[in-house]
Amino acid sequence: METTIYIGIDVSKDKFDYAAVNTQSTLIKKESLQMNRDGFYELEQLIESFSNVVVGFESTGTYHINLMSFLLSLTENVHLLNPALVKKFAEADSLRKTKTDAVDALVIARFLIYQQHSISAVTEIDSAYLTQLARLRESITRDIGKTKTHLKQMLNIAFPELLKTANVFTDTFLQILEQFPSAKAIRKATKKGIRKTFYNMTKSRGKNPDMNPDQLFELAKESIGTDDESLEMAIQFDIKHLAFLQKHLDEVTSKLIENVNKHFGNELQILKSVKGIGDTTASHFLSEVKDINRFSNAKQLIAYAGTDPSVKQSGTMIKRGKISKRGVSGLRRVGYLITCSVIRHDGVFQDYYLRKREEGMAYRKAVIATWNKLIRVIFAILTKQVKFVPNHG
């Protein structure tokens, strides 16, 4: 019977440390290599010197991706490990008393031995990029929010009455404001010109704004807005920037859903069986979690999201505090969005949330409690590969 060699790798930006052990956890070889072609070649020589190897390393955001792509070209037994699970294993390992990259690699190698039946191999490099795609989408969404805030600030100076009267973020109104970016610009235009712009915009966009041309003109006549060309330039720039960001957000969202559907199509449909979870939020969730079999139970998934309570112990006294926030911040953010939507659309979770509020929980705490309940349900339905049945929530 061929002996299996377990190779744990600790990845950093410019280098990686590996430790190779046998099934008895005996160290065979360890070394620190540069994150370059020479380092990859040396690792390849090591892997090819054994007939049966298992390789594992922790997810590091982006630093591990090139190494993972290379390893998958050499062997199928490549494992992308949950850092939270490795840390928990390491806390019981005496080696953790000394903290070095080489020791971390050895801990990972030993983790592979003892957890080999509960971890799954990475089969396609494409799935590793899903997280980056989801985080790109999240970054664009934040930029859109910042740009909208700045636009409102500029409009509050140039045409404050408009913000109180209309939703300026409809496509039609943004197009109108791009041509007439202040109360002054509207006053200088003719009513005929304003009407023509309204007609052209509503004809192409198919949606009427909150007011008609005459109302807009009259509002501009009474405005206390400041006349300033720099404000108009800033407003026009923000509107163009919003259009640019929205176009790319739509493209990235479409690409994210397409790729998640390709890799986790069945899981996507299962998540969407919960009212309030749609293609976008489900795709973002799956891009962070990937294979649900990476987690032994729902508690591990909650810890991965960082919404488990922090625990402080002094002697015999144990105090549970705020959420730990030790997990993946992107998963926490999408979890918050998912939960708020599910509370609005699903009676089971709405009742649970309202019960927590009646017990005296603050709004955000009640949402987090509902998220943790929801994540237990999500873990169950994804593990069993069944759709959610509301009456059994």
Side-chain angles (χ1 to χ4, degrees), residues 1-6 20-28 52 54 109-110 113-114 116:
M1 184 177 178
E2 296 178 345
T3 300
T4 301
I5 302 301
Y6 298 87
V21 301
N22 60 21
T23 52
Q24 287 76 43
S25 293
T26 303
L27 180 65
I28 297 172
N52 192 20
V54 176
R110 290 181 172 178
I113 296 173
Y114 295 107
Q116 58 185 303

Side-chain angles (χ1 to χ4, degrees), residues 121-139:
V122 178
T123 56
E124 296 183 52
I125 187 61
D126 288 347
S127 64
Y129 292 101
L130 289 177
T131 303
Q132 303 310 316
L133 202 56
R135 291 176 186 177
L136 172 60
R137 185 188 180 280
E138 191 178 18
S139 176

Side-chain angles (χ1 to χ4, degrees), residues 36-281:
N36 56 26
R37 191 171 293 277
D38 290 339
F40 281 15
Y41 177 73
E42 288 191 45
L43 184 60
E44 180 180 6
Q45 295 297 105
L46 172 75
I47 290 172
E48 291 184 348
S49 67
F50 301 107
S51 57
N52 192 20
V53 298
V54 176
V55 185
F57 47 89
E58 296 175 326
S59 172
T60 59
T62 59
Y63 300 146
H64 70 274
I65 291 177
N66 289 333
L67 180 61
M68 180 167 69
S69 179
F70 175 73
L71 287 169
L72 284 170
S73 69
L74 302 176
T75 176
E76 293 181 353
N77 294 321
V78 178
H79 300 267
L80 181 62
L81 305 174
N82 180 346
L85 299 183
V86 176
K87 182 180 178 181
K88 187 175 181 181
F89 172 81
E91 287 171 352
D93 196 303
S94 60
L95 286 172
R96 207 57 168 187
K97 294 176 182 177
T98 305
K99 177 75 171 71
T100 67
D101 294 337
V103 167
D104 284 345
L106 188 53
V107 169
I108 292 170
R110 290 181 172 178
F111 178 86
L112 289 171
I113 296 173
Y114 295 107
Q115 301 294 324
Q116 58 185 303
H117 300 299
S118 62
I119 56 178
S120 55
V122 178
T123 56
E124 296 183 52
I125 187 61
D126 288 347
S127 64
Y129 292 101
L130 289 177
T131 303
Q132 303 310 316
L133 202 56
R135 291 176 186 177
L136 172 60
R137 185 188 180 280
E138 191 178 18
S139 176
I140 295 171
T141 302
R142 284 197 300 269
D143 286 344
I144 287 175
K146 290 176 184 177
T147 304
K148 284 185 174 181
T149 299
H150 186 262
L151 177 57
K152 285 194 287 188
Q153 290 170 344
M154 296 299 99
L155 283 172
N156 197 47
I157 301 172
F159 197 172
E161 297 80 8
L162 185 62
L163 285 175
K164 301 172 185 176
T165 312
N167 175 13
V168 299
F169 294 112
T170 63
D171 288 343
T172 302
F173 232 120
L174 286 173
Q175 291 287 331
I176 291 166
L177 282 172
E178 190 175 354
Q179 291 193 43
F180 307 104
S182 67
K184 176 188 174 183
I186 293 170
R187 287 195 301 266
K188 286 174 66 176
T190 63
K191 281 191 177 182
K192 185 178 179 181
I194 299 288
R195 290 193 190 103
K196 183 178 179 182
T197 302
F198 261 73
Y199 175 76
N200 290 337
M201 290 300 106
T202 54
K203 184 179 179 181
S204 62
R205 300 286 173 173
K207 185 177 181 181
N208 293 321
D210 295 339
M211 61 178 66
N212 61 45
D214 292 337
Q215 289 172 324
L216 179 62
F217 194 83
E218 292 301 316
L219 197 65
K221 278 174 60 178
E222 302 298 324
S223 176
I224 61 169
T226 300
D227 297 340
D228 189 328
E229 288 187 9
S230 64
L231 283 173
E232 293 183 350
M233 289 179 64
I235 288 167
Q236 288 173 323
F237 175 82
D238 282 344
I239 291 170
K240 289 175 182 175
H241 191 46
L242 273 178
F244 170 82
L245 290 172
Q246 190 60 55
K247 177 177 180 292
H248 285 279
L249 178 66
D250 293 342
E251 291 173 356
V252 172
T253 302
S254 177
K255 195 71 176 174
L256 174 64
I257 294 171
E258 177 188 332
N259 277 273
V260 168
N261 198 43
K262 174 183 174 184
H263 294 281
F264 304 106
N266 192 45
E267 288 80 359
L268 184 65
Q269 296 307 314
I270 290 171
L271 276 181
K272 287 167 59 182
S273 68
V274 181
K275 287 184 178 180
I277 302 181
D279 280 314
T280 302
T281 50

Side-chain angles (χ1 to χ4, degrees), residues 12 136 216 227 242 337-338 348 379:
S12 58
L136 172 60
L216 179 62
D227 297 340
L242 273 178
L337 294 175
I338 285 174
V348 171
F379 178 83

